[in-house]
Amino acid sequence: MSITAPLSCQSIISFNSLKDEPNPRVFLEQFPTSPVYMVPSTKDTDPFAEAEKVTVMFQNKNVCVLVPGVTFDIHGTRHGRGGGWYDRFLSRLPRSWLKIGVTTPEHLSHAPLKREVWDEPMSLLALIHQDTLTLQSVRKKL
């Protein structure tokens, strides 16, 4: 199921894509007037301190958080690179902020992925194929 209603992203937290990750540029182009904060791309950055910093910066805003991953499933489960940085970062953000998994159709699993207790599920998925963006709602796990 795709989302056709516009998102309200007053501010966006994004990432610098690695060579094997989709570029979030296609998503960011949909919100040309929204301020964008880029999460540092170094593992040395403390995810808890970074979460605290952006929470203060964007308090009382509708925030969309773009999240990279290796694989996502249709239930919003995300598997990353195994270090847990994004799970720790996301765990400290306000629950009202939209967590949007950025992926390609090839990295979207229709079979459920194993979700650990520390895994932070996505609110939406942004599927990027070439220069096309499709927002997909996540299905509740049964």
Side-chain angles (χ1 to χ4, degrees):
M1 162 171 50
S2 294
I3 306 282
T4 54
L7 288 177
S8 175
C9 296
Q10 294 173 324
S11 299
I12 300 172
I13 297 172
S14 188
F15 60 94
N16 291 305
S17 58
L18 300 175
K19 61 184 172 190
D20 61 342
E21 295 173 339
N23 190 326
R25 172 191 53 80
V26 176
F27 184 94
L28 297 173
E29 289 172 350
Q30 304 301 311
F31 302 91
T33 61
S34 296
V36 177
Y37 176 81
M38 301 302 284
V39 171
S41 56
T42 172
K43 292 180 183 179
D44 297 333
T45 303
D46 179 346
F48 299 123
E50 194 66 21
E52 184 178 330
K53 178 171 134 182
V54 297
T55 299
V56 170
M57 284 173 59
F58 298 122
Q59 64 185 358
N60 302 320
K61 301 270 190 221
N62 291 330
V63 178
C64 293
V65 184
L66 304 184
V67 183
V70 174
T71 303
F72 293 85
D73 72 14
I74 60 173
H75 305 286
T77 303
R78 172 192 163 274
H79 285 184
R81 298 184 182 275
W85 194 96
Y86 269 94
D87 290 315
R88 292 191 303 274
F89 173 70
L90 295 170
S91 73
R92 297 287 177 94
L93 298 180
R95 294 287 174 212
S96 60
W97 291 6
L98 280 179
K99 295 176 229 162
I100 302 172
V102 179
T103 190
T104 61
E106 298 80 31
H107 292 105
L108 176 65
S109 173
H110 291 273
L113 298 175
K114 183 176 181 180
R115 185 181 292 175
E116 302 291 351
V117 295
W118 57 80
D119 287 333
E120 288 289 324
M122 300 296 103
S123 313
L124 287 171
L125 298 172
L127 299 175
I128 297 176
H129 180 67
Q130 296 173 351
D131 283 337
T132 304
L133 170 69
T134 304
L135 293 178
Q136 181 174 317
S137 61
V138 298
R139 298 179 186 169
K140 298 284 185 204
K141 269 193 162 179
L142 301 177

